Amino acid sequence: MLVDFAAPVAASPAEAETAAVSAEQVGYDGFLAAETKHDVFTTLALVARATSQISLQSAIAVAFARNPMNVAVLANDLQLISEGRFRLGLGSQVKPHIERRFAMPWSRPAARMEEFVGALRAIWHSWATGDRLMFRGEFYKHTLMTDFFNPGPNPFGNPPVEVAAVGERMITTAGRVADGLLVHPLTSPAYLRGRILPCLRDARGGSLDGFTLQMSAMVVLGADPAARARAEQAVRGQIAFYASTPAYRPVLELHGWGDLADRLTALSRRQQWGEMAAEITDDVLDAFAVAGDAAAVAAGLKDRFGTAIDRVSLYTPYEADRYQIAAVRSAIRA
């Protein structure tokens, strides 16, 4: 299991650059940047220039806020700048954000994502071979590429494409067209083994050879009970936030917690954010988060996910002690 470092969600591009340099120095395998308050490609361009060994990933870039040509250019440039260290992580986001925040069309997200990845690969193939670009799909059409706009073959090859998924349709799509799956933090071991892995195996003809599963795992990490209590409250709130989104309901339903999803959705619509964390019982917390000091968290992650997940990072929606985080990394790598 490789261990990646995830930049703080609200980190500025400059802060992420500093964090990536530190992560490379202490031996992390990869660096992940999210797309929330800042552009993920801008951030990773800075990181690529400041590092030389660590792999870099968008985790995630919002696919449907862009089009395949935009992303093909951005990913190709990052692969050049990083000299082959970039991994393109794509996610669909959810309908309200795509339509109301980005003012972009939303429909049939799994089918749209499958076509998006197919269009990406068609564009890269045209650049690499000089073949005429002729991609015609239901959602995207790319039929014009002149020499003036063609960067040519990338000397480092095309970056791997990994797709974030929760529902079975998107998981199946990832298995069919992507090089890996980004497993959502709101994933229990039961959902991983009961839904995700069977869907992937069916989509890939039974074998996951050459296919990467990466997970950002929720952890309640602290060296002492007081630190863990603070972390626990933040993790309960984050679980409640995710679980209030209807797209993540199948994860809760697998455990018989569909009524919890309904209550959280209702509270979120009334913007009663402070009350949502109280709905997360100890059973729910234990299903989605590993708790303890560094040794206990490392052991818990390996026990839960070590036979299925290829790459792991720690999801800490609180200010975690960097020495504890480093100790988890060391224990997993050992």
Side-chain angles (χ1 to χ4, degrees):
M1 183 188 288
L2 300 179
V3 184
D4 298 327
F5 182 87
V9 170
S12 69
E15 290 167 339
E17 179 185 15
T18 300
V21 170
S22 177
E24 182 172 77
Q25 288 172 345
V26 300
Y28 280 93
D29 298 294
F31 180 83
L32 315 179
E35 184 165 60
T36 53
K37 300 176 186 294
H38 301 280
D39 178 70
V40 68
F41 294 105
T42 302
T43 295
L44 290 176
L46 290 179
V47 170
R49 294 284 287 175
T51 59
S52 60
Q53 300 294 324
I54 199 168
S55 71
L56 316 174
Q57 184 178 49
S58 54
I60 52 85
V62 181
F64 301 159
R66 302 174 172 91
N67 63 59
M69 185 63 73
N70 297 146
V71 175
V73 171
L74 289 164
N76 185 69
D77 283 349
L78 268 171
Q79 185 75 334
L80 283 170
I81 296 168
S82 68
E83 298 184 340
R85 293 181 288 129
F86 179 56
R87 291 155 47 225
L88 176 61
L90 295 174
S92 64
Q93 247 297 347
V94 294
K95 182 178 180 179
H97 283 270
I98 298 302
E99 291 187 336
R100 294 165 52 198
R101 183 155 66 98
F102 293 109
M104 294 289 278
W106 173 275
S107 65
R108 298 169 56 209
R112 185 180 288 270
M113 182 65 78
E114 183 161 349
E115 190 171 298
F116 193 105
V117 176
L120 271 178
R121 298 197 191 281
I123 294 164
W124 287 337
H125 176 79
S126 174
W127 293 347
T129 64
D131 290 349
R132 183 179 180 185
L133 177 60
M134 190 56 64
F135 183 89
R136 296 182 181 273
E138 179 180 356
F139 308 103
Y140 304 104
K141 294 179 176 63
H142 297 279
T143 59
L144 177 63
M145 178 53 57
T146 64
D147 289 345
F148 187 78
F149 296 103
N150 186 342
N154 193 310
F156 304 100
N158 299 322
V161 180
E162 300 172 356
V163 170
V166 175
E168 293 184 31
R169 289 183 180 177
M170 192 66 81
I171 294 167
T172 298
T173 292
R176 276 203 300 261
V177 303
D179 302 300
L181 176 75
L182 303 181
V183 180
H184 195 276
L186 193 73
T187 297
S188 65
Y191 193 77
L192 176 65
R193 291 179 171 81
R195 293 288 190 273
I196 293 176
L197 293 179
C199 282
L200 288 175
R201 291 192 180 103
D202 286 347
R204 296 183 60 82
S207 173
L208 297 182
D209 290 348
F211 189 86
T212 300
L213 275 88
Q214 176 182 323
M215 182 175 188
S216 183
M218 289 196 200
V219 298
V220 177
L221 176 64
D224 55 61
R228 290 194 290 276
R230 291 191 295 270
E232 180 181 303
Q233 187 61 26
V235 171
R236 288 183 192 271
Q238 194 64 39
I239 292 172
F241 171 75
Y242 282 135
S244 70
T245 304
Y248 304 145
R249 183 187 177 92
V251 184
L252 297 174
E253 287 181 334
L254 180 70
H255 293 271
W257 295 329
D259 58 337
L260 171 62
D262 294 337
R263 293 197 304 274
L264 290 170
T265 299
L267 287 169
S268 70
R269 287 173 178 166
R270 296 195 295 270
Q271 298 188 12
Q272 293 176 292
W273 311 111
E275 299 178 24
M276 291 169 60
E279 295 285 338
I280 305 304
T281 64
D282 289 347
D283 287 345
V284 177
L285 178 69
D286 291 343
F288 296 113
V290 177
D293 60 13
V297 165
L301 290 174
K302 288 193 287 186
D303 180 61
R304 289 187 179 202
F305 307 117
T307 60
I309 297 297
D310 302 295
R311 308 183 70 110
V312 68
S313 61
L314 305 188
Y315 191 100
T316 56
Y318 51 90
E319 190 172 346
D321 185 298
R322 63 191 181 96
Y323 295 105
Q324 285 286 301
I325 293 175
V328 174
R329 176 194 60 81
S330 296
I332 291 175
R333 294 288 298 274

